Amino acid sequence: MDHGIRKTGWIYSELYNWHDTGSYNMLWAPDLTTQPGQHVENADSKRRFANLVDVSALADDLVRIKPRPATDDEILRFHTPTHISHLEGLCASGGGEAGGKTHVGRASFDIARLAVGGVLEAVDAVIKGAVDNAYVLCRPPGHHAEAELVTGFCLLANGVLGVEHARAVHGLKRIVVLDWDVHHGNSAETAFYDDPDVLTISLHQDNLFPQGRGKASDTGGASAQGANMNIPLPPGSGSGAYRYAFDSVVLPAIEQFGPDMIFVASGFDAAAMDPLGHMMLSSEDYRYMTERLLQVADKCCGGRIVATHEGGYSPGYVPYCGLAVIEALSGASAKITDPFLDYIANYGAQELQSHQKTQIDAVASAHILKQAAE
Ligand SMILES: [Zn+2]
């Protein structure tokens, strides 16, 4: 067994794959125009990620933690009773469109409870020191769900509920939520916009989804100026842009904030082969972001990181990106090489482009000015 340098919790259940999003026209095509296909948010990329971990040398090295269903009280720390009854009622009647291109099946709400409960178990394990960090490969995703809003394939706000659990049950004070999914992390932004104790950072493709959200000028409410950071990146951003944003903006902001714990909304739809995103990241870029984040986490909060799985729709490539993150979190080797790495690294314009640098620098100066004005 190849022990890593850290104990990494691995929270996953086959039941996550049984959230049935059905057959659906992807995404906006009306009926009787193009042939319906499988909903883009289906189990495939997640199950393949878990399977790659299982056949790799990491399989025996992770600390497997069983998810449990979250209770109503735990869900109500952010959502409303109306939200719960809407989803429970729809599932009980057999499922259907729950809002915002988000389909549910009969068991979907029970599985959504299990996704939230997986995050809560991960938080408990990390804070109690049973593991150093944890990855929750849960489904349905959560980083678009708001208090009473189902959208973007998300039913319950898995990550937000993890933050609230860490505060309510464990008394943590200052928390960072870093969202590297290619879509904007509107769930955490909305939940904590006026909260100076939670720094929310979203790196995303400029105005991809939800449109109109994720602007660089949205820097937090009046009582929490600077505690929300949006880094919208132009389509076509690759390794250079993401690494520059990470090193010049994301990491300094986290270090300055000084969190007790870091949550990552870990989507892999900024990867080069994703059908919904238009970015060019490789598994090595996800490894880089994870390793750099761990360095800052070590300084700030004893390395405490809980990553929750979000988007990522390439069944072929999500597994390799995910494996790189797990390798970085655990410090162990999976002894598997990403077969797409050289191909993606050779794409044109992987290095930082001037229009990307301009956009990232603008975020940095906005936040430096805010801090100086305090
Ligand atoms: Zn996404």
Side-chain angles (χ1 to χ4, degrees):
M1 195 187 297
D2 178 16
H3 284 290
I5 52 173
R6 299 172 199 259
K7 271 196 278 186
T8 295
W10 174 245
I11 296 88
Y12 174 67
S13 166
E14 168 62 18
L15 293 177
Y16 289 147
N17 299 321
W18 299 2
H19 163 48
D20 182 7
T21 46
S23 145
Y24 197 51
N25 254 329
M26 178 48 221
L27 281 166
W28 285 270
D31 291 341
L32 303 183
T33 55
T34 55
Q35 176 189 316
Q38 194 177 22
H39 194 291
V40 70
E41 201 296 295
N42 60 65
D44 207 16
S45 59
K46 274 65 71 169
R47 185 181 266 132
R48 286 162 177 266
F49 174 11
N51 288 345
L52 186 61
V53 167
D54 275 346
V55 301
S56 81
L58 288 181
D60 298 326
D61 203 50
L62 303 174
V63 180
R64 288 171 194 261
I65 299 171
K66 206 174 167 177
R68 63 168 174 88
T71 65
D72 280 0
D73 285 347
E74 289 166 335
I75 293 168
L76 290 169
R77 288 188 183 127
F78 178 53
H79 295 285
T80 65
T82 306
H83 189 76
I84 293 180
S85 56
H86 163 60
L87 288 168
E88 276 187 334
L90 187 59
C91 291
S93 69
E97 166 88 36
K101 310 295 173 197
T102 307
H103 266 213
V104 296
R106 191 173 287 279
S108 292
F109 192 67
D110 289 336
I111 298 169
R113 282 187 191 273
L114 203 60
V116 173
V119 177
L120 306 190
E121 287 292 306
V123 169
D124 290 346
V126 169
I127 294 177
K128 289 174 185 165
V131 295
D132 298 307
N133 53 49
Y135 195 97
V136 191
L137 179 48
C138 57
R139 191 169 165 267
H143 79 138
H144 296 307
E146 299 191 5
E148 213 168 89
L149 180 69
V150 174
T151 192
F153 323 144
C154 298
L155 307 184
L156 298 175
N158 305 330
V160 167
L161 293 169
V163 172
E164 295 298 13
H165 181 77
R167 301 206 289 188
V169 175
H170 298 286
L172 262 56
K173 296 275 183 260
R174 289 170 76 77
I175 293 178
V176 164
V177 181
L178 169 63
D179 189 315
W180 66 42
D181 187 284
V182 81
H183 304 100
H184 175 242
N186 59 292
S187 175
E189 179 185 89
T190 300
F192 305 119
Y193 202 68
D194 294 308
D195 189 337
D197 291 327
V198 181
L199 170 63
T200 44
I201 304 173
S202 179
L203 275 161
H204 49 266
Q205 185 182 321
D206 196 354
N207 211 25
L208 180 59
F209 184 87
Q211 294 214 326
R213 297 290 300 269
K215 296 190 181 94
S217 54
D218 295 339
T219 53
S223 57
Q225 269 298 307
N228 186 68
M229 177 180 275
N230 285 320
I231 309 168
L233 296 169
S237 293
S239 185
Y242 271 83
R243 291 179 190 222
Y244 181 71
F246 229 68
D247 291 342
S248 68
V249 187
V250 173
L251 298 172
I254 295 175
E255 200 168 336
Q256 186 172 47
F257 183 78
D260 302 319
M261 190 164 181
I262 298 171
F263 285 75
V264 180
S266 177
F268 294 108
D269 38 14
M273 293 167 66
D274 195 86
L276 299 193
H278 309 88
M279 304 306 216
M280 305 196 295
L281 299 189
S282 73
S283 61
E284 281 304 307
D285 297 314
Y286 287 101
R287 183 190 310 282
Y288 178 87
M289 293 195 288
T290 309
E291 285 176 347
R292 296 284 286 130
L293 187 64
L294 272 166
Q295 289 169 0
V296 173
D298 283 343
K299 278 194 221 170
C300 295
C301 54
R304 294 201 285 211
I305 296 176
V306 170
T308 59
H309 194 84
E310 295 292 348
Y313 305 97
S314 166
Y317 202 47
V318 165
Y320 291 102
C321 296
L323 194 70
V325 168
I326 304 299
E327 278 187 307
L329 285 174
S330 66
S333 170
K335 298 190 167 49
I336 285 176
T337 305
D338 173 356
F340 302 101
L341 204 53
D342 290 345
Y343 179 71
I344 293 169
N346 287 329
Y347 280 9
Q350 275 289 14
E351 63 276 15
L352 178 66
Q353 306 293 302
S354 60
H355 68 292
Q356 298 162 350
K357 182 173 187 298
T358 303
Q359 208 153 324
I360 296 164
D361 287 346
V363 175
S365 17
H367 278 268
I368 289 162
L369 287 172
K370 297 274 182 237
Q371 286 150 11
E374 276 170 7

